[in-house]
Amino acid sequence: MNVCFITSECTPFAKTGGLADVSAALPAFLSRKGIRVKLFMPLYSSIQVLEYGFVKASELSQTAIAMGNEAIPIDVWYGQIPGSDVDVYLIDCPRFFHRGRIYTDDPDEADRFILLQHAAFVVMQRYNFSPDIIHSNDWQTALMPAMLKYHYNWDRLFASTRTVLSIHNLAYQGLSNPDFSIRAGLPREMADQGGLFEYSGAFSFLKTGIMMADRLSTVSPTYAKEIQSESFGEGLDGLLRMRSGCLKGIINGIDTDIWNPETDPHIASPFSAKDLSGKSACRAALATEMGLKLAENDPLIGIVSRFASQKGFDLLLSVFRDLMKFSNLRFAILGSGDRHFEYFFDQMSAAYPGRVAVYKGFNDGLAHRIEAGSDMFLMPSYYEPCGLNQMYSLRYGTVPIVHKTGGLADTVIDSDEFPGHGTGFSFWNATPDVLKDTIFRALDWFEDRKEWKNIQIRGMKTDFSWTKSADEYIEMYQSAKRESC
Ligand code: ADP
């Protein structure tokens, strides 16, 4: 089976969040199962092509991509996802992708990803690659199914191609000026008020994908249900209910080679479920690195996150001082984003020196060290399509405290609700007081070191590898080939 996997980010080349991790791990697993995957993404200026062994495809030099009345030249760099057989094609168009950031608020943001999608079709045509499945991810590549049906349908190469759209986050929809539909080669009137591709007066990339893809998936079973409700549906719940027969929730796996406390090169000392002793060294090293005063009995909560309203940190804001007052808690925080949260965490690190440490920015190595060195990991997200950090935490014996939503609900078992089976702590109602109570619940358990170790070990032994999820994607591809839904 041939698969075209198209994405706006992929580890290790370019990453802002979980999509990048999935875009590397899932294709690699598919390819291990005998599927031939070609992955397409932009060549952002931050990607060091030569370091990853990419070569310029000379036969595709200055290939013209037709967008509306314009022909935009691109180059293509070819390489592979390290350690896999997945072919990667980086679409090189400095005009669009040399912006200093992966995502922008620039007026031509829609155009950037329309170019990527046209380029994927053109490269497949040039290489005579006939995909059984085109697998799109999120709004940036959600036009592929419509472009296939309206613009590239003349080409027999794609005659039996079926399309899959994975929704990693429904909140980002790519709402654009309806004129961009022409650039994508789609009928302009369908992006106008009342048209199939219109939402809220705009041309919606994501809605277009939801309407046109042969199959839809999202990244956890609970999120698949949630997005069909008004409160999580971001205005598209009606459509998602209409297409529920084609929608499947498949939990993300994690890359257990990269996130492995036994072999992780970023951490101070290896450890495992059999021998947790190395975790204390990681804890001490983290405290030194971040400037925390940390005694053995001081519980350390880690946070690694985008600071976006989705992540629920405003719940933490209002109870933070109480938490600090009534406990000997320590916090190791890594993240960036919303100024409001950056400012608050800065203030807290100034107010509680040696107890609250904050690193603002993106730092992959530190993310690993926080996972390894913390006792608990906090994710109070209002919604979380899947979430990866809670799974990394479980694997590193770092007990997650989470809001019971989306993938968090599917992966963390509350230790009070399921005595003897718990792997973490979770709460239903996302309110500051409930969050505070849940953290205190976790602190009570932390004092019973024997039980705490059992919780850690159960989490560490849980299987979050891609094996099962990759099989579910393959089943979905096969069913898309077999029948319509
Ligand atoms: P989302 O995709 O919504 O950001 P996920 O939990 O699915 O959330 O994935 C986040 C990924 O990004 C994880 O791999 C996490 O370790 C990483 N990450 C987030 N913020 C940072 C940061 N500031 N530094 C390093 N890694 C980060």
Side-chain angles (χ1 to χ4, degrees):
M1 184 184 275
N2 288 340
V3 172
C4 156
F5 192 95
I6 179 163
T7 181
S8 54
E9 48 183 278
C10 176
T11 304
F13 314 122
K15 167 168 171 173
T16 69
L19 170 62
D21 295 4
V22 176
S23 297
L26 174 59
F29 262 83
L30 293 173
S31 127
R32 270 184 235 166
K33 293 188 181 248
I35 291 184
R36 191 158 158 232
V37 189
K38 289 192 185 294
L39 183 145
F40 295 87
M41 68 177 282
L43 174 52
Y44 302 109
S45 40
S46 55
I47 301 178
Q48 305 297 319
V49 269
L50 299 178
E51 230 173 71
Y52 296 114
F54 278 86
V55 289
K56 204 173 200 167
S58 55
E59 63 278 19
L60 293 177
S61 175
Q62 293 294 290
T63 297
I65 302 295
M67 298 224 313
N69 296 327
E70 219 185 335
I72 300 175
I74 60 157
D75 284 328
V76 177
W77 289 75
Y78 165 74
Q80 291 193 317
I81 292 180
S84 81
D85 290 332
V86 177
D87 294 330
V88 177
Y89 297 90
L90 300 177
I91 305 305
D92 186 6
C93 178
R95 168 178 156 192
F96 283 141
F97 299 128
H98 288 201
R99 297 272 167 102
R101 294 198 303 147
I102 294 182
Y103 305 120
T104 75
D105 295 323
D106 298 342
D108 62 351
E109 185 72 352
D111 239 5
R112 300 173 71 217
F113 293 104
I114 290 171
L115 175 99
L116 169 68
Q117 297 176 85
H118 275 303
F121 279 112
V122 171
V123 173
M124 285 191 279
Q125 287 173 323
R126 291 297 185 89
Y127 286 131
N128 212 21
F129 180 74
S130 176
D132 294 286
I133 297 290
I134 293 177
H135 188 156
S136 300
N137 293 279
D138 277 348
W139 76 262
Q140 289 88 355
T141 56
L143 296 184
M144 294 295 280
M147 290 167 76
L148 174 64
K149 285 188 181 129
Y150 288 96
H151 195 67
Y152 292 94
N153 54 347
W154 58 270
D155 192 337
R156 292 191 54 76
L157 193 66
F158 306 117
S160 58
T161 301
R162 298 291 174 266
T163 53
V164 170
L165 168 64
S166 289
I167 301 167
H168 301 258
N169 194 332
L170 189 68
Y172 302 92
Q173 301 186 353
L175 298 182
S176 314
N177 186 311
D179 288 339
F180 281 114
S181 57
I182 300 168
R183 306 276 284 175
L186 301 177
R188 172 69 172 72
E189 66 278 8
M190 293 182 83
D192 276 333
Q193 198 73 43
L196 215 54
F197 305 159
E198 178 265 347
Y199 179 74
S200 192
F203 170 35
S204 166
F205 278 40
L206 195 65
K207 182 185 169 195
T208 303
I210 290 172
M211 297 306 293
M212 302 305 292
D214 293 308
R215 289 289 187 283
L216 302 170
S217 76
T218 186
V219 286
S220 68
T222 296
Y223 192 60
K225 281 190 214 125
E226 286 173 343
I227 57 176
Q228 296 178 53
S229 71
E230 212 181 315
S231 38
F232 289 90
E234 303 284 349
L236 298 177
D237 45 296
L239 289 181
L240 288 162
R241 283 196 296 276
M242 194 180 87
R243 296 225 58 201
S244 64
C246 306
L247 168 64
K248 195 165 180 342
I250 303 176
I251 194 86
N252 286 335
I254 59 173
D255 189 323
T256 46
D257 292 332
I258 295 178
W259 294 92
N260 182 353
E262 290 182 61
T263 55
D264 191 332
H266 298 289
I267 66 176
S269 172
F271 59 94
S272 66
K274 278 199 198 102
D275 178 8
L276 269 165
S277 54
K279 190 167 170 73
S280 312
C282 293
R283 195 174 177 271
L286 176 65
T288 308
E289 178 177 357
M290 295 195 76
L292 288 167
K293 286 195 203 100
L294 185 68
E296 206 194 318
N297 288 330
D298 297 333
L300 172 59
I301 295 189
I303 292 176
V304 178
S305 185
R306 289 185 294 120
F307 294 156
S309 55
Q310 168 204 341
K311 300 292 179 180
F313 292 118
D314 59 334
L315 299 174
L316 183 63
L317 259 57
S318 48
V319 294
F320 201 88
R321 286 186 179 80
D322 271 3
L323 287 170
M324 298 308 285
K325 193 162 150 198
F326 297 111
S327 74
N328 49 345
L329 260 177
R330 303 291 188 266
F331 278 91
I333 302 169
L334 165 63
S336 63
D338 224 319
R339 287 273 155 76
H340 165 66
F341 294 120
E342 290 189 356
Y343 177 71
F344 177 79
F345 287 133
D346 270 348
Q347 268 190 327
M348 291 302 101
S349 75
Y352 301 99
R355 291 188 65 193
V356 178
V358 180
Y359 180 107
K360 277 183 302 178
F362 196 91
N363 185 330
D364 193 42
L366 183 56
H368 283 248
R369 290 189 287 282
I370 290 179
E371 290 292 3
S374 303
D375 299 305
M376 300 158 206
F377 194 91
L378 184 61
M379 291 179 81
S381 313
Y382 283 110
Y383 71 91
E384 193 61 76
C386 177
L388 294 170
N389 279 309
Q390 81 282 11
M391 292 189 270
Y392 301 153
S393 303
L394 287 163
R395 202 160 153 71
Y396 280 70
T398 299
V399 176
I401 301 172
V402 304
H403 176 214
K404 216 176 248 212
T405 182
L408 300 174
D410 292 333
T411 52
V412 177
I413 302 169
D414 187 87
S415 302
D416 283 302
E417 205 179 333
F418 297 97
H421 297 280
T423 56
F425 298 89
S426 52
F427 53 97
W428 282 107
N429 291 332
T431 66
D433 282 340
V434 175
L435 169 65
K436 188 171 76 177
D437 291 348
T438 310
I439 293 176
F440 280 127
R441 244 185 339 115
L443 297 190
D444 279 347
W445 279 82
F446 182 69
E447 283 178 15
D448 181 346
R449 286 316 178 87
K450 201 162 145 255
E451 271 311 312
W452 189 259
K453 196 170 170 194
N454 289 336
I455 296 174
Q456 288 178 296
I457 289 172
R458 280 195 291 271
M460 294 178 86
K461 287 188 169 164
T462 312
D463 180 10
F464 291 116
S465 68
W466 268 101
T467 317
K468 188 166 160 280
S469 302
D471 281 342
E472 290 186 53
Y473 277 102
I474 294 173
E475 263 167 43
M476 187 169 63
Y477 294 165
Q478 285 165 342
S479 91
K481 291 291 289 180
R482 236 183 3 249
E483 62 213 354
S484 51
C485 56

